Amino acid sequence: MTASDLLEQRERQLGLIMALDRARDAVDVAKDPEVMFRAVTKLLRDHFEADASALLLLGDDGVQVETVIAEGMDYDVAAELCHDAIGHFQPDYIPNETWRHTLGLCVVQDSNDQMLGTLVLARNDRPFTRQDAELLEIAESQIDSAIVQARNIWELGNRNRQLEAIFAIDRLRDARGEEAELIAGFTTILTEYFGAELVMVVLSHIDSGELILRGIVDKENLPLSAVDAIREMTGDITIPQQIETPMGIGQMNLLAAPFIISGVNFGSVVVGRKPPYMASDHRLLFAMMSQMDSAIAHSRTAQQLEQRNQELETIYRIDHIRD
């Protein structure tokens, strides 16, 4: 490398560092870190003259995906390429059928070597050079601190979201309405907090134990066969999880969780939407279910108590007539 080439490379490196710094400072990270990461992802695509770029951010456990941000490629393609970049602790090529040249790299926190996410660049016109790889490593060294900061902000936001949902469910429970009103309230809250196009509440009958669809919000007008298939798939689940999408309902993603009271499965909840679910959505549904199942248990105890009181009252009346 000649002196002029070295100088040009140093200028590119300095230009990238300054541009990343401007992208981080241009938005209020405390309000919405994802806006900043979208700006960073677009900047990387432009700076490397790539056709597409993507950034995957992992949760605190280093396993669950917090979000995937893509520029110039579909979400599913971005998610797959970013996942394939896991383990690339130096810039390396990622073989795939979408792009001729794809470069991937892990984002690692320097202080403890914890993996924070991955970066991906893709283009068709020419390969990435060694200088591009060096630049990508510089970008990674600038992004790691932003991810750590964003995690804390997201975690605070997620905790607030969970608390708000829990309080909303608690107010429903305190209203002491009929079980049907409780279920209608659940569907409204689930629709709001997940931006759901489909919400299903399946509960066992209080006497027969048969699982019955008790509440539904269906903005997509799903065929009855699809609704039945979803209900059957949730019969044996024990933890919040994504379930398979039945045929005939398009690209909807389904997240389901069980009603478990004292070790007994009383039914399930399903929320469906087109955007993918992230780790924070799983945690939110888990927190909401912890309140909804106790609300159902409280409602059913009240129903049984009222039924027993009526039975006793009937017995007393018959006994009084007999005497």
mmCIF file of all heavy atoms in Angstrom, residues 269-315:
data_model
loop_
_atom_site.group_PDB
_atom_site.id
_atom_site.type_symbol
_atom_site.label_atom_id
_atom_site.label_comp_id
_atom_site.label_asym_id
_atom_site.label_seq_id
_atom_site.Cartn_x
_atom_site.Cartn_y
_atom_site.Cartn_z
ATOM 1 N N VAL A 269 -53.974 -18.064 25.359
ATOM 2 C CA VAL A 269 -54.149 -16.795 24.664
ATOM 3 C C VAL A 269 -53.251 -16.819 23.432
ATOM 4 O O VAL A 269 -52.116 -17.308 23.492
ATOM 5 C CB VAL A 269 -53.767 -15.610 25.572
ATOM 6 C CG1 VAL A 269 -53.464 -14.367 24.757
ATOM 7 C CG2 VAL A 269 -54.877 -15.314 26.557
ATOM 8 N N VAL A 270 -53.763 -16.294 22.323
ATOM 9 C CA VAL A 270 -52.973 -16.193 21.091
ATOM 10 C C VAL A 270 -53.073 -14.769 20.569
ATOM 11 O O VAL A 270 -54.172 -14.205 20.503
ATOM 12 C CB VAL A 270 -53.478 -17.174 20.007
ATOM 13 C CG1 VAL A 270 -52.633 -17.045 18.737
ATOM 14 C CG2 VAL A 270 -53.451 -18.608 20.514
ATOM 15 N N VAL A 271 -51.927 -14.183 20.227
ATOM 16 C CA VAL A 271 -51.915 -12.873 19.570
ATOM 17 C C VAL A 271 -51.207 -13.031 18.230
ATOM 18 O O VAL A 271 -50.176 -13.706 18.132
ATOM 19 C CB VAL A 271 -51.218 -11.789 20.428
ATOM 20 C CG1 VAL A 271 -52.089 -11.403 21.598
ATOM 21 C CG2 VAL A 271 -49.858 -12.248 20.925
ATOM 22 N N GLY A 272 -51.787 -12.433 17.198
ATOM 23 C CA GLY A 272 -51.227 -12.546 15.863
ATOM 24 C C GLY A 272 -51.049 -11.185 15.212
ATOM 25 O O GLY A 272 -51.878 -10.288 15.381
ATOM 26 N N ARG A 273 -49.949 -11.034 14.495
ATOM 27 C CA ARG A 273 -49.675 -9.796 13.755
ATOM 28 C C ARG A 273 -48.630 -10.096 12.682
ATOM 29 O O ARG A 273 -47.966 -11.140 12.725
ATOM 30 C CB ARG A 273 -49.171 -8.702 14.696
ATOM 31 C CG ARG A 273 -47.779 -8.973 15.258
ATOM 32 C CD ARG A 273 -47.350 -7.928 16.262
ATOM 33 N NE ARG A 273 -45.952 -8.099 16.618
ATOM 34 C CZ ARG A 273 -45.352 -7.511 17.651
ATOM 35 N NH1 ARG A 273 -46.052 -6.698 18.433
ATOM 36 N NH2 ARG A 273 -44.074 -7.700 17.903
ATOM 37 N N LYS A 274 -48.470 -9.182 11.741
ATOM 38 C CA LYS A 274 -47.490 -9.378 10.672
ATOM 39 C C LYS A 274 -46.058 -9.089 11.128
ATOM 40 O O LYS A 274 -45.144 -9.841 10.791
ATOM 41 C CB LYS A 274 -47.861 -8.529 9.456
ATOM 42 C CG LYS A 274 -49.119 -9.016 8.750
ATOM 43 C CD LYS A 274 -49.418 -8.199 7.510
ATOM 44 C CE LYS A 274 -50.620 -8.773 6.774
ATOM 45 N NZ LYS A 274 -51.855 -8.673 7.551
ATOM 46 N N PRO A 275 -45.786 -8.009 11.886
ATOM 47 C CA PRO A 275 -44.406 -7.788 12.357
ATOM 48 C C PRO A 275 -43.948 -8.935 13.258
ATOM 49 O O PRO A 275 -44.743 -9.505 14.017
ATOM 50 C CB PRO A 275 -44.507 -6.474 13.154
ATOM 51 C CG PRO A 275 -45.711 -5.790 12.604
ATOM 52 C CD PRO A 275 -46.672 -6.887 12.259
ATOM 53 N N PRO A 276 -42.674 -9.291 13.183
ATOM 54 C CA PRO A 276 -42.173 -10.410 14.012
ATOM 55 C C PRO A 276 -42.157 -10.048 15.494
ATOM 56 O O PRO A 276 -42.122 -8.870 15.864
ATOM 57 C CB PRO A 276 -40.750 -10.623 13.484
ATOM 58 C CG PRO A 276 -40.375 -9.312 12.882
ATOM 59 C CD PRO A 276 -41.623 -8.723 12.323
ATOM 60 N N TYR A 277 -42.178 -11.074 16.327
ATOM 61 C CA TYR A 277 -42.106 -10.880 17.769
ATOM 62 C C TYR A 277 -40.648 -10.924 18.219
ATOM 63 O O TYR A 277 -39.854 -11.726 17.728
ATOM 64 C CB TYR A 277 -42.902 -11.967 18.499
ATOM 65 C CG TYR A 277 -44.386 -11.853 18.283
ATOM 66 C CD1 TYR A 277 -45.049 -12.724 17.412
ATOM 67 C CD2 TYR A 277 -45.127 -10.881 18.925
ATOM 68 C CE1 TYR A 277 -46.410 -12.612 17.201
ATOM 69 C CE2 TYR A 277 -46.490 -10.756 18.717
ATOM 70 C CZ TYR A 277 -47.127 -11.629 17.858
ATOM 71 O OH TYR A 277 -48.473 -11.513 17.642
ATOM 72 N N MET A 278 -40.327 -10.051 19.163
ATOM 73 C CA MET A 278 -38.984 -9.989 19.716
ATOM 74 C C MET A 278 -39.003 -10.510 21.152
ATOM 75 O O MET A 278 -40.056 -10.828 21.708
ATOM 76 C CB MET A 278 -38.462 -8.553 19.665
ATOM 77 C CG MET A 278 -38.390 -7.994 18.249
ATOM 78 S SD MET A 278 -37.288 -8.986 17.184
ATOM 79 C CE MET A 278 -37.557 -8.227 15.595
ATOM 80 N N ALA A 279 -37.807 -10.566 21.738
ATOM 81 C CA ALA A 279 -37.695 -11.081 23.100
ATOM 82 C C ALA A 279 -38.557 -10.277 24.069
ATOM 83 O O ALA A 279 -39.162 -10.835 24.994
ATOM 84 C CB ALA A 279 -36.237 -11.050 23.546
ATOM 85 N N SER A 280 -38.627 -8.964 23.865
ATOM 86 C CA SER A 280 -39.424 -8.114 24.763
ATOM 87 C C SER A 280 -40.908 -8.469 24.696
ATOM 88 O O SER A 280 -41.625 -8.351 25.695
ATOM 89 C CB SER A 280 -39.223 -6.644 24.408
ATOM 90 O OG SER A 280 -39.569 -6.401 23.054
ATOM 91 N N ASP A 281 -41.391 -8.914 23.524
ATOM 92 C CA ASP A 281 -42.798 -9.305 23.393
ATOM 93 C C ASP A 281 -43.078 -10.580 24.187
ATOM 94 O O ASP A 281 -44.137 -10.712 24.806
ATOM 95 C CB ASP A 281 -43.154 -9.516 21.925
ATOM 96 C CG ASP A 281 -43.064 -8.233 21.118
ATOM 97 O OD1 ASP A 281 -43.644 -7.229 21.544
ATOM 98 O OD2 ASP A 281 -42.407 -8.238 20.066
ATOM 99 N N HIS A 282 -42.145 -11.519 24.160
ATOM 100 C CA HIS A 282 -42.306 -12.747 24.948
ATOM 101 C C HIS A 282 -42.377 -12.407 26.436
ATOM 102 O O HIS A 282 -43.208 -12.963 27.164
ATOM 103 C CB HIS A 282 -41.134 -13.700 24.679
ATOM 104 C CG HIS A 282 -41.181 -14.358 23.338
ATOM 105 N ND1 HIS A 282 -41.518 -15.686 23.172
ATOM 106 C CD2 HIS A 282 -40.960 -13.879 22.090
ATOM 107 C CE1 HIS A 282 -41.485 -15.998 21.893
ATOM 108 N NE2 HIS A 282 -41.136 -14.918 21.207
ATOM 109 N N ARG A 283 -41.492 -11.510 26.872
ATOM 110 C CA ARG A 283 -41.495 -11.133 28.293
ATOM 111 C C ARG A 283 -42.777 -10.407 28.669
ATOM 112 O O ARG A 283 -43.315 -10.598 29.771
ATOM 113 C CB ARG A 283 -40.268 -10.276 28.599
ATOM 114 C CG ARG A 283 -38.944 -11.011 28.509
ATOM 115 C CD ARG A 283 -37.814 -10.211 29.112
ATOM 116 N NE ARG A 283 -37.493 -9.025 28.342
ATOM 117 C CZ ARG A 283 -36.589 -8.971 27.370
ATOM 118 N NH1 ARG A 283 -35.905 -10.060 27.053
ATOM 119 N NH2 ARG A 283 -36.349 -7.847 26.730
ATOM 120 N N LEU A 284 -43.276 -9.564 27.759
ATOM 121 C CA LEU A 284 -44.515 -8.841 28.036
ATOM 122 C C LEU A 284 -45.679 -9.801 28.181
ATOM 123 O O LEU A 284 -46.484 -9.682 29.125
ATOM 124 C CB LEU A 284 -44.793 -7.837 26.911
ATOM 125 C CG LEU A 284 -46.136 -7.099 26.998
ATOM 126 C CD1 LEU A 284 -46.212 -6.258 28.269
ATOM 127 C CD2 LEU A 284 -46.350 -6.223 25.770
ATOM 128 N N LEU A 285 -45.805 -10.761 27.265
ATOM 129 C CA LEU A 285 -46.920 -11.701 27.349
ATOM 130 C C LEU A 285 -46.823 -12.545 28.615
ATOM 131 O O LEU A 285 -47.843 -12.835 29.259
ATOM 132 C CB LEU A 285 -46.953 -12.594 26.107
ATOM 133 C CG LEU A 285 -48.163 -13.522 25.996
ATOM 134 C CD1 LEU A 285 -49.467 -12.742 26.053
ATOM 135 C CD2 LEU A 285 -48.087 -14.362 24.727
ATOM 136 N N PHE A 286 -45.606 -12.938 28.990
ATOM 137 C CA PHE A 286 -45.424 -13.714 30.221
ATOM 138 C C PHE A 286 -45.913 -12.906 31.425
ATOM 139 O O PHE A 286 -46.616 -13.428 32.298
ATOM 140 C CB PHE A 286 -43.949 -14.079 30.391
ATOM 141 C CG PHE A 286 -43.663 -14.893 31.622
ATOM 142 C CD1 PHE A 286 -43.843 -16.260 31.623
ATOM 143 C CD2 PHE A 286 -43.220 -14.281 32.794
ATOM 144 C CE1 PHE A 286 -43.589 -17.016 32.759
ATOM 145 C CE2 PHE A 286 -42.964 -15.018 33.930
ATOM 146 C CZ PHE A 286 -43.156 -16.396 33.910
ATOM 147 N N ALA A 287 -45.548 -11.610 31.475
ATOM 148 C CA ALA A 287 -45.978 -10.761 32.595
ATOM 149 C C ALA A 287 -47.493 -10.598 32.606
ATOM 150 O O ALA A 287 -48.128 -10.632 33.672
ATOM 151 C CB ALA A 287 -45.291 -9.394 32.504
ATOM 152 N N MET A 288 -48.084 -10.426 31.437
ATOM 153 C CA MET A 288 -49.537 -10.242 31.360
ATOM 154 C C MET A 288 -50.272 -11.511 31.767
ATOM 155 O O MET A 288 -51.293 -11.453 32.459
ATOM 156 C CB MET A 288 -49.923 -9.816 29.945
ATOM 157 C CG MET A 288 -49.408 -8.435 29.562
ATOM 158 S SD MET A 288 -49.701 -7.997 27.836
ATOM 159 C CE MET A 288 -51.455 -7.615 27.879
ATOM 160 N N MET A 289 -49.755 -12.667 31.349
ATOM 161 C CA MET A 289 -50.422 -13.930 31.689
ATOM 162 C C MET A 289 -50.396 -14.190 33.187
ATOM 163 O O MET A 289 -51.327 -14.784 33.739
ATOM 164 C CB MET A 289 -49.755 -15.092 30.948
ATOM 165 C CG MET A 289 -49.930 -15.061 29.434
ATOM 166 S SD MET A 289 -51.647 -15.031 28.888
ATOM 167 C CE MET A 289 -52.225 -16.618 29.485
ATOM 168 N N SER A 290 -49.333 -13.740 33.856
ATOM 169 C CA SER A 290 -49.256 -13.942 35.306
ATOM 170 C C SER A 290 -50.381 -13.221 36.023
ATOM 171 O O SER A 290 -50.786 -13.621 37.127
ATOM 172 C CB SER A 290 -47.898 -13.467 35.830
ATOM 173 O OG SER A 290 -47.802 -12.046 35.745
ATOM 174 N N GLN A 291 -50.905 -12.151 35.408
ATOM 175 C CA GLN A 291 -52.023 -11.424 35.994
ATOM 176 C C GLN A 291 -53.362 -11.946 35.489
ATOM 177 O O GLN A 291 -54.333 -12.026 36.242
ATOM 178 C CB GLN A 291 -51.902 -9.929 35.657
ATOM 179 C CG GLN A 291 -50.649 -9.283 36.190
ATOM 180 C CD GLN A 291 -50.563 -9.345 37.703
ATOM 181 O OE1 GLN A 291 -51.485 -8.938 38.397
ATOM 182 N NE2 GLN A 291 -49.469 -9.883 38.214
ATOM 183 N N MET A 292 -53.408 -12.302 34.215
ATOM 184 C CA MET A 292 -54.673 -12.764 33.642
ATOM 185 C C MET A 292 -55.114 -14.096 34.237
ATOM 186 O O MET A 292 -56.303 -14.305 34.488
ATOM 187 C CB MET A 292 -54.559 -12.858 32.115
ATOM 188 C CG MET A 292 -54.554 -11.502 31.428
ATOM 189 S SD MET A 292 -54.769 -11.577 29.631
ATOM 190 C CE MET A 292 -53.145 -12.140 29.136
ATOM 191 N N ASP A 293 -54.155 -15.005 34.461
ATOM 192 C CA ASP A 293 -54.579 -16.296 35.009
ATOM 193 C C ASP A 293 -55.103 -16.162 36.437
ATOM 194 O O ASP A 293 -56.080 -16.814 36.826
ATOM 195 C CB ASP A 293 -53.463 -17.353 34.913
ATOM 196 C CG ASP A 293 -52.172 -16.938 35.582
ATOM 197 O OD1 ASP A 293 -52.179 -15.971 36.363
ATOM 198 O OD2 ASP A 293 -51.148 -17.589 35.315
ATOM 199 N N SER A 294 -54.481 -15.249 37.222
ATOM 200 C CA SER A 294 -54.996 -15.050 38.581
ATOM 201 C C SER A 294 -56.353 -14.360 38.547
ATOM 202 O O SER A 294 -57.222 -14.623 39.402
ATOM 203 C CB SER A 294 -53.996 -14.230 39.408
ATOM 204 O OG SER A 294 -53.833 -12.931 38.865
ATOM 205 N N ALA A 295 -56.573 -13.489 37.550
ATOM 206 C CA ALA A 295 -57.877 -12.839 37.415
ATOM 207 C C ALA A 295 -58.955 -13.856 37.075
ATOM 208 O O ALA A 295 -60.073 -13.808 37.611
ATOM 209 C CB ALA A 295 -57.809 -11.767 36.327
ATOM 210 N N ILE A 296 -58.624 -14.801 36.183
ATOM 211 C CA ILE A 296 -59.572 -15.867 35.837
ATOM 212 C C ILE A 296 -59.842 -16.741 37.054
ATOM 213 O O ILE A 296 -60.994 -17.115 37.337
ATOM 214 C CB ILE A 296 -59.025 -16.712 34.672
ATOM 215 C CG1 ILE A 296 -59.031 -15.893 33.375
ATOM 216 C CG2 ILE A 296 -59.842 -17.987 34.498
ATOM 217 C CD1 ILE A 296 -60.402 -15.515 32.872
ATOM 218 N N ALA A 297 -58.785 -17.084 37.796
ATOM 219 C CA ALA A 297 -58.958 -17.916 38.999
ATOM 220 C C ALA A 297 -59.862 -17.215 40.006
ATOM 221 O O ALA A 297 -60.753 -17.843 40.606
ATOM 222 C CB ALA A 297 -57.597 -18.212 39.617
ATOM 223 N N HIS A 298 -59.643 -15.915 40.196
ATOM 224 C CA HIS A 298 -60.473 -15.140 41.127
ATOM 225 C C HIS A 298 -61.921 -15.123 40.654
ATOM 226 O O HIS A 298 -62.855 -15.308 41.459
ATOM 227 C CB HIS A 298 -59.921 -13.715 41.215
ATOM 228 C CG HIS A 298 -60.710 -12.816 42.098
ATOM 229 N ND1 HIS A 298 -60.628 -12.853 43.470
ATOM 230 C CD2 HIS A 298 -61.625 -11.847 41.804
ATOM 231 C CE1 HIS A 298 -61.442 -11.944 43.985
ATOM 232 N NE2 HIS A 298 -62.059 -11.322 42.994
ATOM 233 N N SER A 299 -62.129 -14.921 39.350
ATOM 234 C CA SER A 299 -63.489 -14.885 38.804
ATOM 235 C C SER A 299 -64.195 -16.218 38.991
ATOM 236 O O SER A 299 -65.369 -16.263 39.374
ATOM 237 C CB SER A 299 -63.428 -14.508 37.317
ATOM 238 O OG SER A 299 -64.695 -14.633 36.719
ATOM 239 N N ARG A 300 -63.468 -17.304 38.747
ATOM 240 C CA ARG A 300 -64.106 -18.625 38.849
ATOM 241 C C ARG A 300 -64.384 -19.003 40.300
ATOM 242 O O ARG A 300 -65.391 -19.657 40.591
ATOM 243 C CB ARG A 300 -63.220 -19.672 38.169
ATOM 244 C CG ARG A 300 -63.077 -19.397 36.676
ATOM 245 C CD ARG A 300 -62.867 -20.602 35.848
ATOM 246 N NE ARG A 300 -63.250 -20.332 34.473
ATOM 247 C CZ ARG A 300 -63.147 -21.203 33.491
ATOM 248 N NH1 ARG A 300 -62.685 -22.428 33.735
ATOM 249 N NH2 ARG A 300 -63.536 -20.895 32.272
ATOM 250 N N THR A 301 -63.517 -18.581 41.191
ATOM 251 C CA THR A 301 -63.784 -18.824 42.611
ATOM 252 C C THR A 301 -65.044 -18.087 43.038
ATOM 253 O O THR A 301 -65.893 -18.626 43.764
ATOM 254 C CB THR A 301 -62.586 -18.365 43.460
ATOM 255 O OG1 THR A 301 -61.425 -19.103 43.088
ATOM 256 C CG2 THR A 301 -62.867 -18.583 44.940
ATOM 257 N N ALA A 302 -65.180 -16.845 42.560
ATOM 258 C CA ALA A 302 -66.372 -16.054 42.878
ATOM 259 C C ALA A 302 -67.626 -16.711 42.296
ATOM 260 O O ALA A 302 -68.685 -16.752 42.945
ATOM 261 C CB ALA A 302 -66.215 -14.640 42.345
ATOM 262 N N GLN A 303 -67.527 -17.244 41.064
ATOM 263 C CA GLN A 303 -68.666 -17.919 40.436
ATOM 264 C C GLN A 303 -69.068 -19.153 41.235
ATOM 265 O O GLN A 303 -70.261 -19.395 41.480
ATOM 266 C CB GLN A 303 -68.306 -18.342 39.009
ATOM 267 C CG GLN A 303 -68.199 -17.205 38.006
ATOM 268 C CD GLN A 303 -67.869 -17.742 36.623
ATOM 269 O OE1 GLN A 303 -68.643 -18.506 36.038
ATOM 270 N NE2 GLN A 303 -66.713 -17.363 36.104
ATOM 271 N N GLN A 304 -68.067 -19.936 41.624
ATOM 272 C CA GLN A 304 -68.356 -21.158 42.382
ATOM 273 C C GLN A 304 -68.954 -20.836 43.742
ATOM 274 O O GLN A 304 -69.869 -21.526 44.210
ATOM 275 C CB GLN A 304 -67.070 -21.980 42.537
ATOM 276 C CG GLN A 304 -66.583 -22.595 41.222
ATOM 277 C CD GLN A 304 -65.202 -23.190 41.344
ATOM 278 O OE1 GLN A 304 -64.455 -22.894 42.288
ATOM 279 N NE2 GLN A 304 -64.847 -24.041 40.403
ATOM 280 N N LEU A 305 -68.452 -19.779 44.372
ATOM 281 C CA LEU A 305 -68.998 -19.372 45.667
ATOM 282 C C LEU A 305 -70.454 -18.943 45.519
ATOM 283 O O LEU A 305 -71.315 -19.329 46.332
ATOM 284 C CB LEU A 305 -68.161 -18.232 46.242
ATOM 285 C CG LEU A 305 -68.626 -17.662 47.572
ATOM 286 C CD1 LEU A 305 -68.621 -18.743 48.659
ATOM 287 C CD2 LEU A 305 -67.746 -16.483 47.997
ATOM 288 N N GLU A 306 -70.735 -18.162 44.471
ATOM 289 C CA GLU A 306 -72.108 -17.727 44.239
ATOM 290 C C GLU A 306 -73.017 -18.920 43.958
ATOM 291 O O GLU A 306 -74.151 -18.989 44.458
ATOM 292 C CB GLU A 306 -72.150 -16.753 43.063
ATOM 293 C CG GLU A 306 -73.539 -16.190 42.790
ATOM 294 C CD GLU A 306 -73.546 -15.209 41.645
ATOM 295 O OE1 GLU A 306 -72.463 -14.906 41.108
ATOM 296 O OE2 GLU A 306 -74.646 -14.733 41.282
ATOM 297 N N GLN A 307 -72.513 -19.876 43.188
ATOM 298 C CA GLN A 307 -73.306 -21.071 42.874
ATOM 299 C C GLN A 307 -73.596 -21.868 44.142
ATOM 300 O O GLN A 307 -74.731 -22.336 44.344
ATOM 301 C CB GLN A 307 -72.556 -21.935 41.863
ATOM 302 C CG GLN A 307 -73.336 -23.173 41.416
ATOM 303 C CD GLN A 307 -72.572 -23.972 40.380
ATOM 304 O OE1 GLN A 307 -71.589 -23.513 39.827
ATOM 305 N NE2 GLN A 307 -73.029 -25.184 40.126
ATOM 306 N N ARG A 308 -72.584 -22.021 44.983
ATOM 307 C CA ARG A 308 -72.791 -22.776 46.237
ATOM 308 C C ARG A 308 -73.775 -22.043 47.148
ATOM 309 O O ARG A 308 -74.611 -22.676 47.816
ATOM 310 C CB ARG A 308 -71.448 -22.967 46.957
ATOM 311 C CG ARG A 308 -70.454 -23.827 46.207
ATOM 312 C CD ARG A 308 -70.975 -25.261 46.004
ATOM 313 N NE ARG A 308 -70.030 -26.063 45.272
ATOM 314 C CZ ARG A 308 -70.047 -26.236 43.953
ATOM 315 N NH1 ARG A 308 -71.001 -25.623 43.233
ATOM 316 N NH2 ARG A 308 -69.164 -26.987 43.362
ATOM 317 N N ASN A 309 -73.676 -20.717 47.194
ATOM 318 C CA ASN A 309 -74.621 -19.951 48.015
ATOM 319 C C ASN A 309 -76.049 -20.144 47.523
ATOM 320 O O ASN A 309 -76.986 -20.274 48.323
ATOM 321 C CB ASN A 309 -74.251 -18.465 47.980
ATOM 322 C CG ASN A 309 -73.009 -18.162 48.806
ATOM 323 O OD1 ASN A 309 -72.646 -18.931 49.699
ATOM 324 N ND2 ASN A 309 -72.360 -17.039 48.510
ATOM 325 N N GLN A 310 -76.226 -20.150 46.208
ATOM 326 C CA GLN A 310 -77.553 -20.373 45.638
ATOM 327 C C GLN A 310 -78.059 -21.772 45.965
ATOM 328 O O GLN A 310 -79.244 -21.961 46.288
ATOM 329 C CB GLN A 310 -77.517 -20.165 44.126
ATOM 330 C CG GLN A 310 -77.310 -18.713 43.705
ATOM 331 C CD GLN A 310 -77.172 -18.553 42.200
ATOM 332 O OE1 GLN A 310 -77.095 -19.545 41.473
ATOM 333 N NE2 GLN A 310 -77.137 -17.305 41.743
ATOM 334 N N GLU A 311 -77.166 -22.752 45.893
ATOM 335 C CA GLU A 311 -77.562 -24.121 46.217
ATOM 336 C C GLU A 311 -77.971 -24.231 47.685
ATOM 337 O O GLU A 311 -78.985 -24.886 48.018
ATOM 338 C CB GLU A 311 -76.402 -25.076 45.915
ATOM 339 C CG GLU A 311 -76.102 -25.233 44.416
ATOM 340 C CD GLU A 311 -74.833 -26.017 44.168
ATOM 341 O OE1 GLU A 311 -74.141 -26.344 45.160
ATOM 342 O OE2 GLU A 311 -74.526 -26.296 43.000
ATOM 343 N N LEU A 312 -77.165 -23.588 48.547
ATOM 344 C CA LEU A 312 -77.502 -23.622 49.967
ATOM 345 C C LEU A 312 -78.819 -22.910 50.238
ATOM 346 O O LEU A 312 -79.650 -23.380 51.045
ATOM 347 C CB LEU A 312 -76.385 -22.972 50.789
ATOM 348 C CG LEU A 312 -75.118 -23.806 50.991
ATOM 349 C CD1 LEU A 312 -74.031 -22.971 51.640
ATOM 350 C CD2 LEU A 312 -75.435 -25.036 51.853
ATOM 351 N N GLU A 313 -79.035 -21.777 49.577
ATOM 352 C CA GLU A 313 -80.281 -21.046 49.752
ATOM 353 C C GLU A 313 -81.473 -21.888 49.322
ATOM 354 O O GLU A 313 -82.532 -21.896 49.993
ATOM 355 C CB GLU A 313 -80.238 -19.750 48.938
ATOM 356 C CG GLU A 313 -81.438 -18.846 49.181
ATOM 357 C CD GLU A 313 -81.335 -17.541 48.441
ATOM 358 O OE1 GLU A 313 -80.231 -17.213 47.947
ATOM 359 O OE2 GLU A 313 -82.362 -16.833 48.335
ATOM 360 N N THR A 314 -81.312 -22.616 48.226
ATOM 361 C CA THR A 314 -82.382 -23.501 47.746
ATOM 362 C C THR A 314 -82.654 -24.591 48.766
ATOM 363 O O THR A 314 -83.821 -24.923 49.067
ATOM 364 C CB THR A 314 -81.992 -24.120 46.391
ATOM 365 O OG1 THR A 314 -81.751 -23.080 45.447
ATOM 366 C CG2 THR A 314 -83.091 -25.031 45.878
ATOM 367 N N ILE A 315 -81.593 -25.171 49.321
ATOM 368 C CA ILE A 315 -81.762 -26.235 50.337
ATOM 369 C C ILE A 315 -82.482 -25.694 51.563
ATOM 370 O O ILE A 315 -83.392 -26.335 52.113
ATOM 371 C CB ILE A 315 -80.381 -26.819 50.720
ATOM 372 C CG1 ILE A 315 -79.795 -27.605 49.538
ATOM 373 C CG2 ILE A 315 -80.498 -27.709 51.946
ATOM 374 C CD1 ILE A 315 -78.358 -28.047 49.756
#
